[in-house]
Each structure stands twice: as structure tokens, then as C-alpha cells.
Amino acid sequence: SARKTLAWVLTLFALAVLVSLVNAQLENYYVSFFLPSGAYSFPYPYFVLMCLAILIGSYFVLRLFFTAINLPSRVKAYQLARQQRKLWQSSQTAQLAFYQGRVQKAAQAAQEALNADTEDSLSPLHHLLAARASHAFRSYAKRDAHLDALDMQNQEIALAAHITRAQLYLDQREFNLALDAVLAAKAISPKLTAAMLLELKIRHRLKQAEHTLELIDQLEKSEALDATSCIHYRLAAYIAQLRTLSLQGRKLTEWWSA
């Protein structure tokens, strides 16, 4: 940087002034080395310069050495940072494309995010997003593969996978599969309102009147279902019971009283 360059220039000028002063004061002084091959003498100012040169040279050699040692870790850190940027960009692209209705692009971007997420930090979210996007353009095999990848995760992630699977199967009119998924979710969180509402819709479609009426009572007590919806589901359940049961005379009176 400019500051470092200026500091080096000022340092060199200071050294030049220092050497000039030392040379003026100590020009008649020498440093002698006695070796087996003979005696060697150096003017004192040049000896100081030589020591400074050795010191500076040693600094740069050591710096280069430690830079070379740390190079693999620096390269790894750079690659990790680059991968994190790619993960973030792919994740943002997938979410934005999904809410724009561009589901194929969302599924592709979510898959790219999964490939970039080597530490699995956000992979559950990307699996869920990719599953919903795949379902939207009827790629059911890919959808199921993404959801199956979450079944062996912890309970919180598995719960999200079961709820998502139930919603998507319900949309696909695969009511029995949807019921299995929502019951798996309730096994993890029995009082989860979202799971109970889903089960109500599924039981209603399957015309399972007794279960539907039980769920209506539970949801009505917790105020999770409005009065209009309660009436709608109850009437549908009563009609389903009338269609499946042969009720006449006294039996019809007992059923109506119940």
C-alpha cells in the first residue's frame, strides 16, 4: 500500500543519514576477523551496512518461508470462502426463483446449493425447497428423493419433511400416503396444530367421518378452526356417516341424538 511504500522510503533515507553520520565519526575504525586462512578487516560503517543487509535479507527469507508453509491452509481458506459465496448465491437464487414461480430454475439452484454445501449447514432447507419445486413441475421421483434424504436426520428436520410430504401428497390427491406422512409427523409432535389441520383435510377427503368429528372437536377447543369451517366439516362428516350406515327407525334416532 501507499503507506508502506512511504514508510520504506523514509526508513531508507534515515539509514542513509545514519550511515553518513557514522562514517564521518568512525571512518578510521575497522572491524577485523581472524580466520585460519588469514585476517580480514572491514571499515566500521561498511560492517554496519553489511549487518543491516543480512538482517533485512533474513527477514524476507523467513517471511517467504513461512508464507510457503502457510500456503496450503490459505488456499483451503480461499476455496472454502469461494464455496460459501457460491452456496449463498445459489440459495438466494433458488428461493427467489421459487417465489417467482420459476420452479425448474428453483430446483436447479437448490441442487447447486446442495452440491456446494459440503458441511450440510443448510442442506435440510435446500432439500425441502428442491422437493417443493420438483413437485410443482411434477417431478415426483426427485421430490421423493429429496424428502427421503431428510428422514434419517434429527426429529426437527424429520418433522419438517413429514409435514411437507403430507402437504404435497394431499395436493397430488394421494390421500393414503398423505395420511401416513401426517401420522408420522404426529408421532413426533402429537399436539402440532398444523399436523391436526392437515389430518382433518385428509380424513375429510377419505370420508372417515368418526376421525373427522374427533379432530373437529379438538381443533374447536384450541380455537384453531373457525366456526364456519367447523360447520362445513361436521355436515360433510354427518353426510358420510349417513351414506355408509343403514340407519332406520330407532337406530336413526340414536345416531341423531349422538
Side-chain angles (χ1 to χ4, degrees), residues 46 52-53 66 80-81 84 89 92 109 136 145 148 157 175 184 210:
Y46 293 108
L52 288 174
F66 285 112
L80 181 61
Q84 289 296 321
Q89 291 173 355
Q92 293 293 312
D148 291 342
I157 296 173
F175 302 128
E210 292 183 5

Side-chain angles (χ1 to χ4, degrees), residues 1-257:
S1 63
R3 291 183 178 180
K4 287 185 177 181
T5 304
L6 180 61
W8 276 108
V9 170
L10 293 176
T11 302
L12 290 174
F13 274 113
L15 285 174
V17 172
L18 180 63
V19 169
S20 298
L21 292 174
V22 170
N23 188 38
Q25 296 294 327
L26 304 173
E27 59 181 351
N28 295 324
Y29 291 86
Y30 291 86
V31 176
S32 298
F33 294 93
F34 296 95
L35 301 174
S37 57
Y40 301 92
S41 298
F42 299 94
Y44 192 81
Y46 293 108
F47 174 75
V48 173
L49 284 176
M50 184 173 63
C51 291
L52 288 174
I54 292 173
L55 182 64
I56 294 172
S58 300
Y59 166 76
F60 283 109
V61 169
L62 289 174
R63 184 174 180 179
L64 182 63
F65 174 73
F66 285 112
T67 300
I69 290 178
N70 294 328
L71 189 59
S73 60
R74 294 179 65 180
V75 170
K76 185 177 181 180
Y78 170 77
Q79 291 176 342
L80 181 61
R82 184 179 178 183
Q83 203 164 23
Q84 289 296 321
R85 287 195 300 270
K86 185 178 179 181
L87 168 62
W88 178 256
Q89 291 173 355
S90 298
S91 180
Q92 293 293 312
T93 301
Q95 294 179 54
L96 184 60
F98 181 78
Y99 289 114
Q100 289 174 339
R102 302 162 69 183
V103 290
Q104 289 186 342
K105 182 178 180 181
Q108 182 180 359
Q111 186 60 54
E112 291 176 357
L114 284 169
N115 295 336
D117 191 6
T118 56
E119 298 181 357
D120 292 335
S121 57
L122 296 174
S123 61
L125 297 177
H126 296 138
H127 275 300
L128 291 171
L129 181 59
R132 289 189 176 276
S134 299
H135 174 83
F137 64 88
R138 300 182 181 179
S139 182
Y140 299 134
K142 289 184 178 179
R143 173 202 66 190
D144 293 339
H146 284 296
L147 292 174
D148 291 342
L150 300 177
D151 286 341
M152 302 304 294
Q153 302 286 339
N154 61 59
Q155 286 194 339
E156 294 297 322
I157 296 173
L159 177 61
H162 292 319
I163 290 294
T164 301
R165 186 181 280 110
Q167 291 172 341
L168 299 182
Y169 281 147
L170 176 61
D171 181 70
Q172 194 184 348
R173 303 181 68 83
E174 293 284 353
F175 302 128
N176 290 316
L177 293 176
L179 182 59
D180 292 340
V182 81
L183 291 178
K186 289 185 69 176
I188 298 174
S189 181
K191 296 183 179 181
L192 182 64
T193 302
M196 294 174 68
L197 287 169
L198 269 174
E199 185 182 3
L200 175 63
K201 294 177 182 178
I202 297 166
R203 301 280 191 188
H204 169 67
R205 294 294 186 91
L206 291 172
K207 300 186 185 304
Q208 297 179 355
E210 292 183 5
H211 292 290
T212 300
L213 292 171
E214 291 177 5
L215 287 166
I216 292 170
D217 292 337
Q218 293 175 14
L219 290 168
E220 192 175 23
K221 289 179 181 178
S222 61
E223 299 182 353
L225 200 64
D226 60 89
T228 303
S229 298
C230 287
I231 294 172
H232 167 74
Y233 283 115
R234 274 203 178 96
L235 286 175
Y238 291 152
I239 292 171
Q241 282 184 330
L242 284 171
R243 286 177 177 174
T244 56
L245 298 176
S246 297
L247 299 177
Q248 294 179 357
R250 185 177 178 182
K251 290 183 178 180
L252 180 60
T253 304
E254 291 176 355
W255 174 83
W256 185 261
S257 299

